[in-house]
Amino acid sequence: MRKVNLRAFQITNADINTAYSDLGEQLKEKLTCSETVDNRRMRLNIEDPKNEEDLISYFQLKQDIVFCTMLRIELGNNVQHIASDLFKKKSFTINELNDSTVAGEAIYKSSYYFSISDNFLITNLPGNTTIRGLETYLYWFLEKYYQITPLIDMAQITKLSEIKSITVEDNPSNIKNHSSQNSFLTVQLKEQSIPLVKNLLNDVHSISDAQLDQLISVKLLINFRKIKKSDPIELQNALGALLKPVSDLGNYILEDKNRKKIKTGESLPRVKTVSIETTGSGFLNENQLLQEMYTFIRELKNEP
């Protein structure tokens, strides 16, 4: 058994005349019409020498849910190969990668799963990775933009009026590697602040940027205007949009009007931890994962 964190997202329904977003139906139709995995391969950057691609390698259509496997691959001959004939199939599972030949077309790098039903999307995408990559892929594949926003755990914070401010702090343990996705926002804050500090303090012009980086710490303070009454939908939309591009949620500190810490950003997104059986090769039981995702979606639909 393996513990899996399922993250919940809401799909913004752009059509006010319909109860639900058409993302699930559009994806079903496109996947059904897609003859081969080759038709679902999106190159991340044409100039990138690694030739990385995202693709939906496998899917199941169950009742009102679409269940998909997303792969990140790199073209070339190295290790963990994916045989060329797999791309000619309608779909293939991660388990089939074990049977790939040595002389493969591409290298398997990573994978995750996602399910869509009505206005909800569930995924086991790691918590330090934003939903932007999947949002981009769906835009490419469906040729239509869908806004996907993290669902907020309303049990954690029930009143918008309790939140006075959010402080974003840099974390030395996250900033050591500036290319890390975890530290994107805090690195940007620090990089933007160094020229400002130099302009404010003439005496530090003789100090290098690297030296100054070790001397200063950066905080971004976001103050909320006073809200007269609590509005769960407003809270969900505001915090969901704020947290959507953020991967270093541990650096987000929510404070009340007395500047007392309420929560950290990590506690805000709606997450459900489930236990999933694994195969002999260590892969997740995909049917069991689909069942857990479906159950999670039903729970969300039944909430008031």
Side-chain angles (χ1 to χ4, degrees):
M1 303 289 286
R2 185 190 305 173
K3 296 289 186 182
V4 177
N5 290 327
L6 301 181
R7 301 167 60 191
F9 294 80
Q10 70 172 2
I11 304 164
T12 300
N13 184 17
D15 187 353
I16 60 174
N17 296 316
T18 59
Y20 305 109
S21 165
D22 69 343
L23 173 55
E25 291 302 318
Q26 291 295 319
L27 186 57
K28 280 183 183 180
E29 181 179 346
K30 195 66 180 285
L31 289 171
T32 302
C33 296
S34 177
E35 294 296 329
T36 67
V37 175
D38 260 330
N39 299 139
R40 304 192 292 270
R41 296 168 63 173
M42 180 189 78
R43 182 72 63 87
L44 301 189
N45 190 312
I46 196 68
E47 303 295 335
D48 185 2
K50 290 187 176 181
N51 297 319
E52 291 183 315
E53 295 180 352
D54 282 346
L55 58 98
I56 294 176
S57 62
Y58 174 77
F59 62 91
Q60 287 190 52
L61 309 179
K62 297 281 189 178
Q63 299 178 30
D64 60 342
I65 193 171
V66 185
F67 175 79
C68 299
T69 304
M70 179 70 74
L71 293 189
R72 169 69 57 88
I73 66 172
E74 177 182 326
L75 302 186
N77 292 313
N78 201 320
V79 294
Q80 294 179 291
H81 292 87
I82 303 176
S84 300
D85 58 346
L86 289 180
F87 293 114
K88 307 303 178 185
K89 298 177 64 174
K90 180 80 171 180
S91 67
F92 64 84
T93 66
I94 292 181
N95 283 328
E96 291 180 74
L97 296 180
N98 276 345
D99 301 324
S100 293
T101 61
V102 174
E105 176 182 341
I107 304 163
Y108 163 70
K109 298 192 70 176
S110 62
S111 64
Y112 64 90
Y113 300 91
F114 68 92
S115 291
I116 294 174
S117 180
D118 294 340
N119 291 333
F120 298 105
L121 183 149
I122 306 297
T123 179
N124 70 328
L125 189 67
N128 61 358
T129 304
T130 72
I131 200 66
R132 287 286 181 85
L134 178 55
E135 201 176 57
T136 299
Y137 179 87
L138 293 173
Y139 173 70
W140 170 83
F141 187 55
L142 302 177
E143 299 181 324
K144 181 178 179 181
Y145 175 70
Y146 291 91
Q147 183 176 341
I148 305 171
T149 309
L151 269 178
I152 302 301
D153 187 351
M154 302 305 293
Q156 296 290 334
I157 299 178
T158 58
K159 295 180 180 178
L160 186 59
S161 58
E162 292 180 357
I163 306 172
K164 176 63 177 176
S165 64
I166 296 179
T167 300
V168 185
E169 299 181 315
D170 63 348
N171 186 333
S173 63
N174 284 344
I175 296 181
K176 289 179 180 178
N177 181 5
H178 282 211
S179 64
S180 170
Q181 187 179 15
N182 289 345
S183 59
F184 175 77
L185 179 59
T186 49
V187 166
Q188 291 295 310
L189 288 174
K190 206 159 194 179
E191 288 180 347
Q192 294 296 322
S193 66
I194 288 176
L196 178 61
V197 171
K198 281 194 168 185
N199 288 332
L200 291 174
L201 304 174
N202 293 328
D203 292 340
V204 302
H205 280 290
S206 59
I207 300 177
S208 68
D209 287 357
Q211 291 172 317
L212 198 57
D213 181 76
Q214 299 299 317
L215 294 175
I216 66 172
S217 176
V218 179
K219 289 185 179 182
L220 172 64
L221 179 63
I222 304 172
N223 283 315
F224 286 88
R225 294 180 179 176
K226 186 176 181 180
I227 305 298
K228 292 185 178 180
K229 72 174 184 177
S230 176
D231 186 339
I233 296 178
E234 184 178 0
L235 174 59
Q236 163 61 51
N237 292 338
L239 291 182
L242 184 63
L243 298 181
K244 178 178 177 177
V246 179
S247 56
D248 50 350
L249 289 175
N251 293 349
Y252 272 52
I253 309 298
L254 281 76
E255 300 168 329
D256 63 15
K257 60 183 179 181
N258 298 316
R259 299 303 299 275
K260 180 181 178 181
K261 176 181 173 181
I262 303 175
K263 298 286 181 182
T264 64
E266 290 172 316
S267 66
L268 295 183
R270 184 70 181 271
V271 178
K272 181 180 181 181
T273 301
V274 297
S275 296
I276 305 295
E277 293 178 347
T278 56
T279 67
S281 302
F283 294 111
L284 294 173
N285 182 322
E286 293 176 341
N287 288 308
Q288 194 173 98
L289 181 62
L290 185 156
Q291 182 182 7
E292 291 290 355
M293 287 183 168
Y294 182 78
T295 299
F296 193 12
I297 287 176
R298 299 309 304 177
E299 292 170 356
L300 294 172
K301 288 182 179 181
N302 290 332
E303 290 179 353

